Amino acid sequence: MPTSSIKTVRHDMSTLVRDAQALFREAASASGERAEELRHKGLMLLDAAMEKAQDAQVIAAKTGKEVAEQTDVFVRANPWRAVAISAGVGLLAGLLLSRK
């Protein structure tokens, strides 16, 4: 999932949740039919946020699977290069951790 798509989904979800919270606050001070209407709209917004979150989860899982498959292909085609890269990353991580 591209970074811009993640940012868009995150922004959409936070907007939906914020709008739902505002509706629930307004519904708390309203009464009767208006309160019920506001609560219903709030629930619909929360449902939409849940759907967006599930869509994002599906896309992230698909992207993760594709990355894992590409990594597997690379490692099988270049086993020694993969070992060297892993050793380099491990060395760098060790150096950074030992500095603290």
Side-chain angles (χ1 to χ4, degrees), residues 21-54:
Q21 289 172 334
L23 285 171
F24 285 132
R25 278 193 289 278
E26 188 178 337
S29 63
S31 62
E33 191 175 309
R34 178 73 178 146
E36 186 58 36
E37 178 186 334
L38 292 170
R39 278 192 284 276
H40 178 71
K41 285 181 181 179
L43 290 173
M44 296 298 286
L45 287 172
L46 290 176
D47 287 342
M50 286 297 296
E51 286 179 25
K52 284 216 175 268
Q54 289 170 347

Side-chain angles (χ1 to χ4, degrees), residues 2-21:
T3 305
S4 61
S5 295
I6 293 171
K7 287 180 182 177
T8 301
V9 169
R10 185 180 302 149
H11 179 266
D12 290 350
M13 286 182 55
S14 67
T15 300
L16 288 168
V17 170
R18 200 171 325 129
D19 290 348
Q21 289 172 334

Side-chain angles (χ1 to χ4, degrees), residues 35-88:
E36 186 58 36
E37 178 186 334
L38 292 170
R39 278 192 284 276
H40 178 71
K41 285 181 181 179
L43 290 173
M44 296 298 286
L45 287 172
L46 290 176
D47 287 342
M50 286 297 296
E51 286 179 25
K52 284 216 175 268
Q54 289 170 347
D55 291 345
Q57 181 182 10
V58 168
I59 292 169
K62 181 181 175 186
T63 303
K65 187 175 182 177
E66 290 171 359
V67 168
E69 289 172 358
Q70 291 171 358
T71 302
D72 186 54
V73 168
F74 175 81
V75 169
R76 288 180 188 272
N78 307 291
W80 290 109
R81 188 179 294 173
V83 169
I85 291 170
S86 298

